[in-house]
Amino acid sequence: MKRHVILGGTRGMGRSVARKLVERGDWVALLGRDGAELEKSAADLKARGAPGVRVTTALCDLERPDTFRPALEAVEQALEGLDVVIVTAGLFATQEQLEADPSLAQRVLSVDFANTVLFCEEARKKLLLRGGGTLCVFSSVAGDRGRKPVVLYGAAKAGLSAYLEGLDHRFKSQGLTTVCVKPGFVKTQMTEGLKAPPFAGEPDEVADVVVKGIDEGTPVVYAPPIWRAVMSAIKAMPRFVMRRVKF
Amino acid sequence: MANDRLAGWGRQFQPGRELLTEDLERAPRVLFRGLGRSYGDSALPPAGSPVVVTTTRANRIIDFDESTGVLRAEAGLSLKEINRTFLPRGWFLPVTPGTQFVTLGGAVAADVHGKNHHVDGCFGHHVTRLKMHVADGRVLECGPDQERELFLATVAGMGLTGQILEVEFPLRRVPTPWIWQETERVPDIDTYVQKLAEAAHGWPMTMGWIDCLSRGKNLGRGIVMKGRWAQAHEAPTQFPAEPPNLRFPIEAPELLLSSLSVKAFNVAFYWKHLARKREGLVSPWTFFYPLDFVKDWNLMYGRRGFTQYQCVLPREAGPEAARRFLEVLTSRGGASFLCVIKDCGPESPAFLSFPKPGISIALDIAVRDGTQQLVDALNEHVIKEGGRIYLAKDSYTRPEHFRAMEPRLEKFLDVRLRWDPNLTFRSAQSVRLFGDPA
């Protein structure tokens, strides 16, 4: 049995990951900003969970860094420990929306990069104090290369991926395992309204890949895995091609 | 825009878009769609406002009472998830249709039935509460003893009375996760109907398959299947393995569905059952959901897709009604891979619930130039017999035919109009059959 904290576990891919964990008997704490949603998701996890599973919640808002430490401390106490911290939460907006609305751009850039990093710093300190653990954070394939439809969002995710790689290099020897998840296009509420590309994934299949990555301590996980090949191809494209293509 | 074409399971595409949301209560006020397993146009939007809300991401369990089995969940939860979660703990659905790729909301909206209909009725019969978002903006609860009219119009109401947000019903204890099955090969339709009726007395679950291509004395030969949950002393202790995840690879060319291949399939299916009688343990996946073994099997019907025709012929029409129906079908050259026959128990009080005492016949028909005429002819025959069709399968019935089959329709439309005077919730089917504005 391991004790997991999930920031963003009430929705989308985080919801699927949380279910996989409780079904096999792991304990889960959900962090999020909507108390009612946290309660509903906790009830769902309890009903699905293996016998004896403990599920707890705490309020935590990626837009408010002052909530990070108290939330982590509360759930560490409730679960009597902490082995894995998972961050699936984030903000998404299309390139057009972000270009048209600087205040939205500021929110997305802060939440997806600066605040996520600050949350990870709190989590890292906690895990290191306990002698180690796993930090699993959802970045994105959008951070693998600057591209037309994800200039701003992708830049935040690129920064996040770089931070996670640095953490791995710096703290691996002290027992901190870092897992950077790079989901490709996954059909969730976050991507609602966008045209699904080929290889679009389902949250449940992503969750299988993510849980395996956490168990094995894989530094970079593409989910669904086909996106590793897709992004390799995109990274190999010369700049004059990238200027022409739409993706 | 994403997904600018939508279809039912029969793959008759039309313009439409689905909105995926986890928050049903704040969803736009349009028709809800579940897993899209209704065959026809029930879960398709009207042409004039081509958007539906797809509920499959709203799939949380709200509460499960381990002592009574009462489950309450969001409407997008699938029967597959319920089985996966609860069968290992000794609980099963009180009623299940022939596929587990159905959401709770869809199971209520179509008032689905299964192999135990003669004993347990439809799904809606077991529902104790629905949480709904109705047209005037209220979120309310209804059930057999609360807002009963709304409840009776919503069960089997094809999503037209409001949006189903949550469903509450009891799961049922099963002694083991295995099924004891007995199957019997029968030579013709009259024997088949008689055997099915006999089986209904001793068995909680019955159904069967017939070859609807053979004519003359072989007309309606087939296999009658009977089942019950196995007792602990009969069953292995391990949990039945989930079926492999096969996929039908491509949209098949129409050539594949020549009358010859359909004939070959039917003959093979019949003679595969060499012994006249067989019995033994089978997994619930094999017993309840044989078609789920191949995902996307609807691609087999090629570019033009297919429709399913399902009707019930009332008991008053006599045991020969099934033979008369098959004669009309075969005389018109209707060919079907599968023709499923089941006898139904009492009618539900839900206004548009499909089953009533008698024989239900379901067949898959590949869409061809003459499909409309074939469905018309079958409908005219069914009207004469006093039967009716199942809306969850339909995309070809004419409004005048449906009216002639369904004396309860006026009552349904009355109640619906009371709860939704502006017809906020419409489907391509309600436009076609009830004359709703497109």
Side-chain angles (χ1 to χ4, degrees):
Chain A
M1 185 277 292
K2 287 222 162 114
R3 287 156 295 194
H4 302 255
V5 178
I6 309 181
L7 174 56
T10 60
R11 301 169 61 175
M13 292 181 270
R15 180 188 286 185
S16 293
V17 169
R19 285 174 178 169
K20 304 256 176 236
L21 295 173
V22 296
E23 279 168 12
R24 68 179 195 183
D26 286 351
W27 293 3
V28 167
L30 297 175
L31 302 185
R33 59 183 167 183
D34 182 331
E37 281 296 297
L38 286 172
E39 284 316 307
K40 263 190 160 174
S41 281
D44 177 60
L45 295 179
K46 279 179 199 151
R48 290 168 185 261
V53 157
R54 199 183 291 182
V55 179
T56 184
T57 66
L59 287 170
C60 183
D61 185 349
L62 260 186
E63 298 200 61
R64 291 182 43 210
D66 58 312
T67 61
F68 298 167
R69 190 181 303 171
L72 282 167
E73 272 165 8
V75 298
E76 183 186 26
Q77 209 158 39
L79 297 185
E80 298 167 61
L82 211 57
D83 303 301
V84 182
V85 177
I86 304 169
V87 182
T88 63
L91 277 181
F92 179 80
T94 63
Q95 179 62 17
E96 290 70 27
Q97 290 165 332
L98 293 169
E99 283 173 6
D101 183 350
S103 69
L104 178 65
Q106 185 177 11
R107 271 183 73 204
V108 167
L109 292 171
S110 314
V111 165
D112 290 350
F113 177 65
N115 292 1
T116 302
V117 167
L118 291 174
F119 179 85
C120 291
E121 283 294 294
E122 292 292 342
R124 164 186 70 80
K125 287 179 208 155
K126 270 219 166 313
L127 291 171
L128 285 173
L129 266 180
R130 302 190 58 82
T134 301
L135 178 62
C136 170
V137 182
F138 276 49
S139 183
S140 171
V141 295
D144 275 13
R145 187 157 195 201
R147 292 184 289 121
K148 285 177 184 173
V150 286
V151 176
L152 288 159
Y153 176 75
K157 290 297 193 181
L160 180 59
S161 297
Y163 163 76
L164 294 167
E165 181 173 2
L167 272 192
D168 176 66
H169 297 167
R170 187 168 167 83
F171 296 109
K172 180 75 185 170
S173 61
Q174 295 175 38
L176 182 76
T177 301
T178 307
V179 177
C180 173
V181 179
K182 296 182 178 178
F185 191 98
V186 180
K187 289 182 240 166
T188 64
Q189 185 166 285
M190 188 185 97
T191 54
E192 171 51 47
L194 303 178
K195 191 167 173 57
F199 317 118
E202 292 288 325
D204 282 346
E205 55 179 325
V206 168
D208 282 331
V209 176
V210 170
V211 170
K212 186 161 172 276
I214 292 172
D215 289 345
E216 296 174 0
T218 317
V220 177
V221 173
Y222 284 84
I226 179 83
W227 284 88
R228 184 181 290 273
V230 173
M231 293 319 293
S232 293
I234 289 179
K235 280 192 276 189
M237 285 184 179
R239 194 176 278 263
F240 74 89
V241 175
M242 291 305 287
R243 285 186 185 137
R244 279 161 187 255
V245 296
K246 278 198 239 157
F247 53 82
Chain B
M1 279 308 218
N3 313 323
D4 44 9
R5 274 177 358 141
L6 271 180
W9 187 240
R11 300 188 76 245
Q12 313 253 306
F13 287 92
Q14 47 175 272
R17 198 168 92 75
E18 28 181 5
L19 290 171
L20 207 56
T21 179
E22 290 173 347
D23 188 351
L24 296 183
E25 209 168 311
R26 262 168 261 169
R29 322 305 317 284
V30 296
L31 188 75
F32 273 9
R33 172 184 167 106
L35 279 158
R37 283 295 172 124
S38 58
Y39 286 68
D41 51 7
S42 331
L44 298 182
S49 49
V51 178
V52 292
V53 167
T54 292
T55 61
T56 52
R57 293 289 187 264
N59 56 8
R60 283 184 292 196
I61 295 169
I62 306 290
D63 188 48
F64 178 65
D65 185 332
E66 195 78 47
S67 60
T68 58
V70 173
L71 175 72
R72 189 182 177 106
E74 291 175 327
L77 185 66
S78 71
L79 303 189
K80 183 178 169 66
E81 273 290 287
I82 294 174
N83 289 339
R84 193 180 65 78
T85 308
F86 293 103
L87 187 56
R89 298 194 219 166
W91 299 95
F92 193 70
L93 299 159
V95 166
T96 180
T99 170
Q100 37 179 357
F101 296 106
V102 170
T103 61
L104 282 179
V108 171
D111 201 15
V112 296
H113 59 275
K115 296 173 169 53
N116 59 351
H117 186 270
H118 61 288
V119 184
D120 292 311
C122 291
F123 190 84
H125 176 64
H126 302 271
V127 172
T128 47
R129 274 289 178 277
L130 296 175
K131 183 174 173 186
M132 294 187 63
H133 199 172
V134 291
D136 66 12
R138 274 183 297 159
V139 171
L140 52 82
E141 304 240 325
C142 67
D145 56 353
Q146 183 175 333
E147 295 291 5
R148 181 172 166 86
E149 279 209 317
L150 175 64
F151 179 73
L152 294 182
T154 301
V155 171
M158 308 314 282
L160 300 172
T161 55
Q163 298 170 322
I164 302 173
L165 306 176
E166 291 174 10
V167 179
E168 181 192 278
F169 67 102
L171 293 176
R172 190 174 274 188
R173 271 269 175 224
V174 290
T176 70
W178 292 88
I179 298 286
W180 181 265
Q181 175 184 261
E182 208 177 284
T183 57
E184 189 176 352
R185 187 159 52 79
V186 287
D188 61 62
I189 185 65
D190 298 316
T191 320
Y192 184 99
V193 169
Q194 181 203 334
K195 289 273 180 195
L196 201 56
E198 283 169 22
H201 292 297
W203 294 82
M205 296 179 276
T206 64
M207 59 87 72
W209 162 93
I210 61 165
D211 168 359
C212 51
L213 293 177
S214 302
R215 301 187 181 205
K217 82 174 166 44
N218 285 340
L219 180 76
R221 64 180 183 180
I223 319 278
V224 173
M225 302 171 181
K226 302 163 263 189
R228 59 171 172 77
W229 290 98
Q231 294 300 319
H233 66 271
E234 302 168 309
T237 46
Q238 85 264 30
F239 192 74
E242 291 259 2
N245 206 349
L246 304 175
R247 230 162 235 292
F248 202 85
I250 50 157
E251 189 174 84
E254 291 193 355
L255 202 65
L256 188 73
L257 272 181
S258 66
S259 56
L260 200 68
S261 60
V262 177
K263 178 92 190 161
F265 176 87
N266 273 270
V267 168
F269 200 103
Y270 183 73
W271 286 112
K272 200 174 134 258
H273 201 283
L274 260 182
R276 202 178 62 79
K277 239 184 191 181
R278 274 197 215 155
E279 56 180 16
L281 285 175
V282 292
S283 85
W285 325 120
T286 311
F287 184 73
F288 290 110
Y289 312 116
L291 289 173
D292 286 354
F293 280 57
V294 184
K295 310 286 178 293
D296 302 327
W297 61 264
N298 55 350
L299 288 171
M300 180 177 74
Y301 285 92
R303 192 177 48 82
R304 283 198 271 182
F306 73 113
T307 184
Q308 187 169 84
Y309 187 84
Q310 183 169 3
C311 63
V312 57
L313 302 167
R315 195 156 288 157
E316 304 86 78
E320 308 81 29
R323 170 175 288 276
R324 291 195 296 270
F325 179 86
L326 290 183
E327 280 164 358
V328 174
L329 178 72
T330 51
S331 75
R332 299 209 144 241
S336 172
F337 262 108
L338 275 173
C339 184
V340 175
I341 299 207
K342 155 94 195 128
D343 61 346
C344 297
E347 179 177 276
S348 152
F351 304 129
L352 288 187
S353 182
F354 160 69
K356 62 174 162 181
I359 288 274
S360 149
I361 306 180
L363 34 125
D364 292 346
I365 300 169
V367 169
R368 296 292 178 265
D369 296 337
T371 301
Q372 180 68 57
Q373 288 76 3
L374 175 61
V375 172
D376 286 345
L378 295 176
N379 278 338
E380 278 156 21
H381 175 77
V382 167
I383 292 167
K384 266 195 294 184
E385 299 277 10
R388 61 188 179 222
I389 56 121
Y390 189 10
L391 288 179
K393 308 292 177 80
D394 183 56
S395 45
Y396 284 92
T397 293
R398 296 178 189 277
E400 59 273 23
H401 284 158
F402 190 70
R403 268 175 202 280
M405 293 169 186
E406 199 47 275
R408 305 169 302 172
L409 180 60
E410 285 312 315
K411 177 72 183 167
F412 168 78
L413 292 175
D414 261 13
V415 176
R416 176 190 178 210
L417 206 59
R418 210 161 336 121
W419 284 92
D420 184 8
N422 303 318
L423 302 179
T424 310
F425 304 109
R426 307 188 306 284
S427 63
Q429 189 168 64
S430 77
V431 171
R432 173 171 60 87
L433 284 179
F434 308 151
D436 289 354

